[in-house]
Amino acid sequence: MMMKSNKLEVSTNPTSNGNVFTSVKDAISKKMTLVCEFSDEKGTSTKSYIKNGAVRVSSGGTNTNESGEFIMKDNKMYMWNETTREGFVYNVPEGDQTTQISQGDEYLNMIDAYKDSCKVATVENSYFVPPTDVNFQDMSKILEDLQKQIPAIPQQ
């Protein structure tokens, strides 16, 4: 916002000279609430929601294998297919927000490429709650079990 001779100018583009946020990671770190809607070059339509450091991505392509949901919050990532109601969850190592964000870089980079489509909005907290009717496989447990099965390599 800038004041110009008794007029109040409000920027409607969050990435204009006001620099409300410079990237999606920046918006997350600032705990902004945004909605971003876009279609990529493959025709996949995506709607992303960002609020208080949490991210939800809903994408839909031309077939059901290209459609999916993703939530990243509270050191966990959830991914699932709306049609099959199958998905997985895994724990993101605790640490700073950057560690959590690095796990979801593919989604964040995708949103970042279309950040000009993002607008400040009101999003209900319930939208960041994983559905109870999806069968989530715990990938953290599976990876932990796999690591236990790998023999330790002797140090030289």
Side-chain angles (χ1 to χ4, degrees), residues 1 71 86 90:
M1 267 192 305
I71 294 176
E86 296 286 327
Y90 67 92

Side-chain angles (χ1 to χ4, degrees), residues 28 53-57 69-80 87-94 97-109 111 128-131 134 136-141 143:
I28 291 170
V55 178
R56 178 167 180 157
V57 177
E69 300 286 324
F70 164 88
I71 294 176
M72 181 175 66
K73 72 174 224 170
D74 299 333
N75 296 321
K76 287 193 180 272
M77 290 181 68
Y78 302 85
M79 298 180 88
W80 71 97
F88 65 87
V89 58
Y90 67 92
N91 295 321
V92 178
E94 286 196 40
Q97 189 73 5
T98 307
T99 303
Q100 183 176 349
I101 289 171
S102 69
Q103 299 294 322
D105 269 344
E106 178 184 343
Y107 289 96
L108 298 179
N109 290 338
I111 299 167
F128 299 95
V129 176
V134 170
F136 285 106
Q137 286 188 325
D138 188 345
M139 296 304 286
S140 298
K141 176 80 172 115
L143 292 173

Side-chain angles (χ1 to χ4, degrees), residues 34-154:
L34 302 171
V35 173
C36 312
E37 289 185 67
F38 56 88
S39 291
D40 66 16
E41 59 280 346
K42 296 177 186 171
T44 302
S45 62
T46 301
K47 194 166 189 176
S48 306
Y49 308 86
I50 301 167
K51 182 178 183 177
N52 294 328
V55 178
R56 178 167 180 157
V57 177
S58 300
S59 62
T62 54
N63 71 50
T64 57
N65 292 334
E66 296 173 352
S67 300
E69 300 286 324
F70 164 88
I71 294 176
M72 181 175 66
K73 72 174 224 170
D74 299 333
N75 296 321
K76 287 193 180 272
M77 290 181 68
Y78 302 85
M79 298 180 88
W80 71 97
N81 182 295
E82 278 290 314
T83 305
T84 64
R85 308 307 288 168
E86 296 286 327
F88 65 87
V89 58
Y90 67 92
N91 295 321
V92 178
E94 286 196 40
D96 63 357
Q97 189 73 5
T98 307
T99 303
Q100 183 176 349
I101 289 171
S102 69
Q103 299 294 322
D105 269 344
E106 178 184 343
Y107 289 96
L108 298 179
N109 290 338
M110 175 186 63
I111 299 167
D112 224 16
Y114 298 94
K115 72 177 183 258
D116 290 342
S117 72
C118 298
K119 300 191 179 358
V120 175
T122 301
V123 180
E124 294 295 321
N125 290 336
S126 62
Y127 209 64
F128 299 95
V129 176
T132 56
D133 64 340
V134 170
N135 180 28
F136 285 106
Q137 286 188 325
D138 188 345
M139 296 304 286
S140 298
K141 176 80 172 115
I142 292 170
L143 292 173
E144 187 179 299
D145 290 346
L146 281 174
Q147 286 177 339
K148 288 178 185 174
Q149 293 175 11
I150 298 173
I153 299 172

Side-chain angles (χ1 to χ4, degrees), residues 9-16 116 118-120:
E9 244 179 58
V10 179
S11 173
T12 56
N13 181 355
T15 59
S16 68
D116 290 342
C118 298
K119 300 191 179 358
V120 175

